[in-house]
Amino acid sequence: MKIISVSAVGLAALLLVSGCGADDPAPARAASVNVTNCGQNVSVAAPPQRALSLEQNATEILLSLGLADRMIGTSYQTDPVLPELRDEYERVPVLAARYPSREAVLDAQPDFVYSTFTSAYAGDAAGARADLRKLGVPAYLSRFACEKPADGQPVVNFDGLFAEITEVADLFGVSDRGARLVAAQRARLDAAVRAADAPADTSVLWYYSGTSTPYVAGSGGLPAAISTLLGVRNAYGDAKQTWPAGNWEQIAERNPDVIVVADLTRGGDGDSARSKIDFLRSNPVTAQLDAVKAGRFITVSGSSMDPSVRSVAAVEQVSAGLAELPR
């Protein structure tokens, strides 16, 4: 069996471009910056100096903007940090293995809090954004994860991701760095789309986690956006949920041409790419899938399946993997 695991292309170049301004002083700014974020006002009177990121994707966006020296904490690392960001990441204290409590957040005295997941602002985590704002702490949330979907952008696309990176850069007074990072990512995205080479009507199953109950990519999420860009058909594109629970008999009926497996490092059932592939080969139902028999697998990191600075790398990996798959 041939297993395709394509490494991220051009990550070093991306961080070189985005990090080249990391030592540039933030421009002076007399006026505050105000944005409407997921239906709430987020205002900073001056560029934040004590930022707290509540999970890895937010952490890596801030680090890619060269803001390690303005971060007083991170939390919820789900994958090894990108190698190009590791040195910067190690300069930032880790407040919690998962989400810090509201008390831990307030004890850290942040002047800005950022997450790309709604769960970070739950009552048993950092607490509601509105409550933090009342305490003078602006709390930013990804437009793809708003408490009320109608207040944000419920369907993921790369324009929205780049707009979020730009907005965060503006809030921190590093608009030039944001522009460089977005330009580098757009160039890589365009190159990956141009290189896409998949047979007509190729169906792709995006397999995220689980063996007894497989969780797969449905509509509206990043895998759906990547499928559209690369001209392939999402095997669960008809599902209304972003990450529906599938079942193996139904997957066997759909018989995808290619399976993209998420490589997760958290150690749960069917999390790692290897455990997924081993299961697919040993399970009597899935062993008969055309993709399994032909070894048509593509591996991407689990965190790259959510909107982040890793998302373009996922497009590159899948594009390159499709071109190399056995036909």
Side-chain angles (χ1 to χ4, degrees):
M1 183 185 72
K2 183 179 180 182
I3 300 173
I4 306 294
S5 180
V6 186
S7 63
V9 180
L11 269 175
L14 167 97
L15 272 303
L16 179 62
V17 171
S18 63
C20 64
D23 295 327
D24 297 341
R29 186 175 68 209
S32 63
V33 175
N34 299 278
V35 300
T36 300
N37 170 237
C38 288
Q40 297 185 25
N41 180 60
V42 173
S43 176
V44 295
Q49 301 296 319
R50 297 182 56 81
L52 170 60
S53 57
L54 295 177
E55 45 70 43
Q56 184 160 350
N57 288 342
T59 298
E60 292 188 343
I61 288 174
L62 294 182
L63 293 177
S64 296
L65 290 170
L67 297 170
D69 60 338
R70 293 203 243 157
M71 298 173 66
I72 50 87
T74 69
S75 62
Y76 221 134
Q77 179 182 345
T78 52
D79 285 307
V81 173
L82 289 169
E84 294 81 0
L85 298 174
R86 189 175 298 130
D87 288 346
E88 296 295 288
Y89 177 79
E90 289 176 353
R91 294 168 50 192
V92 184
V94 177
L95 297 192
R98 296 210 171 186
Y99 291 131
S101 66
R102 183 174 184 271
E103 291 73 20
V105 169
L106 296 179
D107 284 347
Q109 299 182 335
D111 60 4
F112 190 87
V113 180
Y114 178 26
S115 181
T116 56
F117 291 106
T118 314
S119 52
Y121 295 113
D124 59 353
R129 293 194 302 136
D131 291 341
L132 290 169
R133 186 176 72 248
K134 289 176 183 176
L135 295 172
V137 182
Y140 191 92
L141 178 62
S142 171
R143 67 187 60 210
F144 304 119
C146 294
E147 294 93 343
K148 296 179 181 179
D151 287 337
Q153 189 171 327
V155 176
V156 175
N157 60 42
F158 281 89
D159 284 342
L161 171 60
F162 297 151
E164 180 170 321
I165 292 171
T166 299
E167 192 166 72
V168 170
D170 290 345
L171 284 162
F172 278 82
V174 291
S175 299
D176 288 350
R177 298 182 201 174
R180 288 195 292 269
L181 176 58
V182 168
Q185 292 225 322
R186 281 194 184 278
R188 290 171 54 200
L189 179 65
D190 291 346
V193 171
R194 288 195 302 270
D197 179 23
D201 202 38
T202 296
S203 64
V204 175
L205 175 71
W206 296 80
Y207 177 16
Y208 186 73
S209 68
T211 53
S212 56
T213 300
Y215 285 88
V216 299
S219 60
L222 184 72
I226 295 175
S227 298
T228 299
L229 283 174
L230 298 182
V232 297
R233 177 168 51 86
N234 180 2
Y236 269 80
D238 59 335
K240 294 182 179 179
Q241 304 95 332
T242 302
W243 295 105
N247 67 74
W248 295 120
E249 289 71 22
Q250 186 180 65
I251 289 171
E253 291 175 1
R254 299 186 180 208
N255 196 19
D257 299 308
V258 179
I259 301 176
V260 176
V261 293
D263 193 19
L264 301 166
T265 60
R266 60 192 183 186
D269 171 44
D271 272 351
S272 72
R274 173 49 59 187
S275 66
K276 289 182 176 73
I277 293 170
D278 288 346
F279 172 82
L280 291 169
R281 296 180 67 195
S282 62
N283 179 277
V285 175
T286 56
Q288 300 307 309
L289 293 172
D290 288 345
V292 174
K293 290 191 290 186
R296 293 195 290 265
F297 299 105
I298 300 172
T299 300
V300 301
S301 71
S303 56
S304 71
M305 286 193 183
D306 290 305
S308 71
V309 292
R310 297 174 181 242
S311 299
V312 169
V315 181
E316 292 169 334
Q317 291 165 347
V318 176
S319 177
L322 288 169
E324 296 181 21
L325 288 171
R327 303 295 173 98

